[in-house]
Structures are given as structure tokens and as C-alpha cells.
Amino acid sequence: MVSTTRDGDKARPGGRGVQDLTVGPIGKTLLVFAMPVLGSNILQSLNGSANAIWVSHVLGEAALTATVNANNIFFLMLGAVFGISMAANLLISQSVGGRDLAMVKRVVGSASTFFLVLSLSVGVAGYLLTPTILDLMQTPPDARRDAITYLRVIFAAMPFMYFFSFVMMAQRGAGDSKTPFWFSVFAVGLDVILNPLLIMGVGPFPKMGIAGSATSTLVSQTLTLAAMIVYLYRTDSVLILKRGDWRLFRPELAIIRTLVVKGFPMALQMLVISGAAVVMIRFVNAYGSHVAAGYGAAIQLWTYVQMPAMALGAAVSSMAAQNVGAGLMDRVSEVARKGVWLAVLMTGLPVALIYLVEPWVLLLFLPAGSPSAPIAMHINAFALWGFVPFGMAFVLNGVIRATGAVWPPLLGLLISMWFVRIPFAHYLEPTLGQDAVWWSFPLGSLISLVLAAGYYRFGGWRKARLMAGIPRGAAPDTGLSPPAVAEETEAVEVAAKAPAE
């Protein structure tokens, strides 16, 4: 289903599964798009916490250690595929913005085949190499057997999880963040329900122990993926390839090359962040268990504080990419401006709230009277506010990536974490003590913001291209004009009421 503008340009997409992010009020649209992404992130974190509670209380500390070791590998694998999923998201977004639905289907076809081959390869290799991987991690002997069992089920689930991630990112690229959110609700709800049933063997369910926790993830992801694909077919989504489109499953080299070349730097960002976190934990562990426990409690709060910025980063990437595809670079600049202000608001409010209720919030992670509680509060006094500039930088980098400029955000992250944060903590520790570690966090965030803002203002990202053949739009640069917005919105509404072609 498509609509046609008065100037005779190529049709704008309409109907289910595609939302045009190149028209309408930018701030409201951006916020509405980001909230379901934020909800999905929160649900995933709560799901991980719930699973950890069941494993620790029913199976004991050794089983929990097993899942922690296995999950490190799991998150590393998901981090690697994140970059490729994001590259597919940007390709789809620019094609939707450029009104080239044929290109959307080409991207979906090639990416689907690529993800299928990649996920099966990772699943099989990981299953076979699980004992070796855990030995390299020096998994504690009392947790090794459970870790092998748990991780092998996770690797069996990997093809479904990879494809689930790709389909969710593809829908967001098409402008639809609400549908992935509701399917995330279903997946997480099913996982939470099945987890204790399969661990303990309640009713007709088999008692599977540690394997039950991983199996609940396998079942929930598989059933949700199947339901999502059925939904997309029933709603005639542009992301679905029908019988006449099956030839598009044959991979196009140009698309695969773009997924890898553009996705690789975005995947490396996850490794840069994870590696820096490991180094910082080594600094913290040197000060003893009380400091480590306080730091662990602070990190629990940081996880939720940075979620709004991550959701906004995903939202601005999709929205900016559609406008890049439509050639509306003035709207891209406005997306960046509104996104930065939303990051300040949505990150600053939870930071302020935590400062107000911190002694009580920490009771969720530390026992009453714990000597680690004042240490956690001391850490947050230095570090927590630094997530505001982190959020601003995350949004600007999301806009920069939307054109295909994926290396500058990675280099900025590498500089701020590995050439500023870690050396600052290392070289000033003899003078400032452990406070050098805490000061290094906001310092790294501020440097990230300076680098992102500098490249956004002076860099060549506006001229970057994601892939040859992806449209950059012939529309005039007047996307903020109220009359144009009104006409384009009317065209989309007319298309939604028109019969399918």
C-alpha cells in the first residue's frame, strides 16, 4: 500500500508495519518511538534479574555462578550480532525514507539468509566448543558442569535469538517500535513463567534444573519469533517476502558487504565497552570486597539510568536514517537537537530521583546496615551525574551513524574509555586513591560528548553513504515547513484508507 505526493515523487509507504518518520512533529514522534524501545530494554533487564533469582534460590550459588559465566559468552555473541542488526536497520530506514520499498525487500531477503547462516554457524560451533570456552574463562570447577549444560542450550537457542533480534530491528527501521515491544512483553512473560516450572518440574513440566532456565529462553524466543512472523504475514508487512519475492533470499553481495563493513564497527563498540568494564572491575577489586559490593550495587542503578539514552540512540538512528533517505537534512539536524534535549531530560530525571532516595533504593541490592551502602553512595556522588553527558553523546552518535559514518563513533568511544578513563584511573590512583577510579567515569563521559559534538559540528558525516544504490532523496530541504508537513501527513492518511494494490 503506497501513497503518492502531489509533486509526482516516488510514493510514500503507508499501511501496517511502516511508519513515515519524515513528516510530523519531530519531538513528539521521537519520544513516542523511543518509549517502546525503552520498555523492551527494561523488560529484558527485569527478565535477567528474575531468572537469576530463581536459579540462586532454587539451585544455589554454584548454579548462579554457572549462569553468570555462561551469560558472559551469551552477551558477547549478542553484542557481535548487534552491529549487523543495526546495519540492517539503517539500510531499511534509509530505503523507507527514500520511498524505495523494493530496496526494503531486497535488504530483508539478503539479511535473512545471512542471519540464518551466521546464527546456525555460531550455534553449532558454540555447542561443540562449550567446554573449551568455559575452560578459557577459568570457570570455577564446582560450576563447570552446570555452565556446560546451560550454555549448550543457549547455543541451541542462538539461531532463534539472532533472528528475533534482526526482525525487531527491521521493524524499527521501518518506523514501527510498538509491535516489537508487545512481542517483547510476550517473550519475557513466557520466559518468567516457564523458568521456575522447568527448573523445579512443576505439574506436567519436566524437572530440568539449570537446563530448565536456558530452555525457558529457547522456548519463549522460538514461540515469539514464530508468532511475530505470522503477525507480519497477516498484516501484509513490507518486511515479508511472498512467494513471488523468494528469489530475493539469494544474497546480494553489495548488501552483505554493507552489513559486515558497516556492522563491524558497531559490533566493536560492544567489545570496547565490555573490555573497559573488565579493566575497571580489576581496579575496584583491589580495594576489597566491601568496595566491590558497593560498586556492584551502584552498577545495578547505572543499568537503568542509561537505558533512556540507549533507547533514544536507537530511536534517533531510525528516524534520522529515514530523513537521510528522504533528503531532508534539516529534519536530521532537528532530530539531533530534540534528541539531545530529550536525553538531558530522560537521563537527568532518574539521576535526580536516585540521589533523593538513594539510601532506600540501595536496600534492594545490599542488606540493611551494610558497610558497602555508604561506599555505593560515595561512588554515585562522583559518577552518577556523568550519565547525562553520556546520554547526549549517545544521541549525537546515533544521528551520525544514520548516514553510514560508523567509524567516528567507535573511535570516540575508544578514546574516551581506553585513552582517557582507564589511564586517568591508573595514573592518578596513587594521588587520589580510589576516587581516581570514580572520577574517571564522568570524565570519560564528558570526553565522549566533546568528541561526538565536535564531529557532529565539523565532521563529514553528512556526506557519508551507507551503500551505493540506497536513495538519499530528491526532496527539497524544507521538511520543517508547516505546510509541507500538513500535506505529507494528509497523503499518508489517505494511503492508509486506500485499498491495497
Side-chain angles (χ1 to χ4, degrees):
M1 185 182 297
V2 295
S3 62
T4 306
T5 56
R6 293 193 316 173
D7 59 7
D9 282 342
K10 292 172 73 174
R12 283 195 182 280
R16 286 186 178 271
V18 176
Q19 180 182 350
D20 194 347
L21 303 177
T22 65
V23 297
I26 289 176
K28 179 181 177 181
T29 303
L30 183 58
L31 183 61
V32 169
F33 188 91
M35 293 309 293
V37 181
L38 174 59
S40 298
N41 292 343
I42 293 175
L43 282 173
Q44 293 298 330
S45 293
L46 292 176
N47 185 34
S49 299
N51 290 352
I53 290 172
W54 280 113
V55 169
S56 63
H57 283 75
V58 176
L59 302 175
E61 292 184 359
L64 181 61
T65 302
T67 63
V68 169
N69 277 265
N71 281 335
N72 282 331
I73 301 299
F74 166 58
F75 290 127
L76 181 64
M77 295 295 100
L78 284 185
V81 80
F82 165 81
I84 300 173
S85 298
M86 193 65 200
N89 170 284
L90 295 177
L91 283 172
I92 291 171
S93 294
Q94 286 195 10
S95 299
V96 169
R99 312 168 196 177
D100 190 349
L101 301 189
M103 186 64 193
V104 173
K105 290 186 177 292
R106 288 167 55 196
V107 172
V108 170
S110 291
S112 296
T113 302
F114 180 74
F115 271 93
L116 179 63
V117 173
L118 177 65
S119 61
L120 287 174
S121 301
V122 171
V124 172
Y127 187 92
L128 297 175
L129 296 174
T130 291
T132 303
I133 293 171
L134 292 172
D135 288 342
L136 290 173
M137 292 179 61
Q138 297 183 337
T139 302
D142 60 340
R144 185 178 183 276
R145 186 179 65 178
D146 281 346
I148 290 174
T149 301
Y150 181 89
L151 189 55
R152 276 185 162 162
V153 178
I154 289 295
F155 273 119
M158 198 66 73
F160 305 100
M161 300 172 82
Y162 270 20
F163 208 77
F164 183 74
S165 174
F166 161 64
V167 174
M168 290 182 66
M169 294 291 279
Q171 290 179 84
R172 290 170 184 167
D176 180 12
S177 63
K178 293 180 181 178
T179 300
F181 168 72
W182 289 116
F183 279 104
S184 291
V185 172
F186 177 75
V188 169
L190 190 60
D191 196 354
V192 169
I193 292 172
L194 289 176
N195 212 285
L197 299 179
L198 292 173
I199 290 175
M200 296 183 291
V202 178
F205 294 92
K207 184 177 181 179
M208 301 178 67
I210 191 70
S213 180
T215 302
S216 69
T217 300
L218 169 61
V219 173
S220 64
Q221 293 279 317
T222 303
L223 292 180
T224 305
L225 174 61
M228 187 184 296
I229 292 175
V230 169
Y231 173 83
L232 293 176
Y233 266 105
R234 291 179 64 87
T235 55
D236 198 26
S237 170
V238 68
L239 301 176
I240 289 299
L241 302 184
K242 298 181 180 179
R243 186 181 298 273
D245 302 317
W246 284 0
R247 58 185 173 77
L248 298 178
F249 282 119
R250 185 170 56 198
E252 292 186 38
L253 183 59
I255 294 176
I256 300 302
R257 184 189 299 116
T258 300
L259 292 178
V260 175
V261 172
K262 298 296 184 180
F264 180 67
M266 290 186 279
L268 280 181
Q269 291 185 41
M270 307 297 290
L271 297 178
V272 168
I273 294 172
S274 300
V278 170
V279 174
M280 298 309 293
I281 287 176
R282 292 186 63 183
F283 284 129
V284 173
N285 287 340
Y287 289 98
S289 59
H290 290 314
V291 173
Y295 178 70
I299 284 179
Q300 292 293 327
L301 299 177
W302 299 355
T303 298
Y304 292 95
V305 167
Q306 64 187 336
M307 281 184 181
M310 298 177 71
L312 279 170
V316 298
S317 287
S318 295
M319 191 169 184
Q322 279 202 20
N323 284 279
V324 168
L328 302 174
M329 295 305 292
D330 57 339
R331 279 181 65 90
V332 174
S333 298
E334 189 68 4
V335 167
R337 189 176 72 84
K338 293 287 179 64
V340 166
W341 282 113
L342 283 173
V344 172
L345 178 66
M346 294 176 66
T347 307
L349 284 178
V351 166
L353 181 62
I354 288 174
Y355 278 137
L356 288 174
V357 300
E358 193 171 16
W360 297 277
V361 173
L362 287 174
L363 292 177
L364 295 172
F365 310 107
L366 297 170
S370 170
S372 298
I375 295 174
M377 295 177 65
H378 179 77
I379 294 171
N380 280 333
F382 286 87
L384 189 60
W385 63 270
F387 284 98
V388 176
F390 164 82
M392 298 166 69
F394 208 84
V395 166
L396 290 175
N397 283 329
V399 174
I400 291 169
R401 281 193 297 265
T403 61
V406 293
W407 282 102
L410 171 63
L411 294 175
L413 196 64
L414 186 66
I415 291 170
S416 64
M417 289 196 168
W418 285 89
F419 293 93
V420 174
R421 176 179 291 175
I422 292 174
F424 181 91
H426 176 72
Y427 289 111
L428 291 184
E429 200 174 19
T431 303
L432 300 177
Q434 61 182 264
D435 285 350
V437 179
W438 318 140
W439 271 121
S440 71
F441 285 97
L443 178 62
S445 296
L446 288 170
I447 295 299
S448 290
L449 176 58
V450 170
L451 294 174
Y455 187 76
Y456 174 82
R457 177 65 180 84
F458 302 107
W461 62 275
R462 292 171 180 83
K463 298 180 180 179
R465 294 195 66 90
L466 191 59
M467 189 185 88
I470 293 290
R472 287 293 294 263
D477 216 10
T478 56
L480 296 178
S481 158
V485 169
E487 289 178 8
E488 307 254 76
T489 304
E490 181 182 0
V492 173
E493 291 174 351
V494 170
K497 297 176 182 178
E501 292 184 346

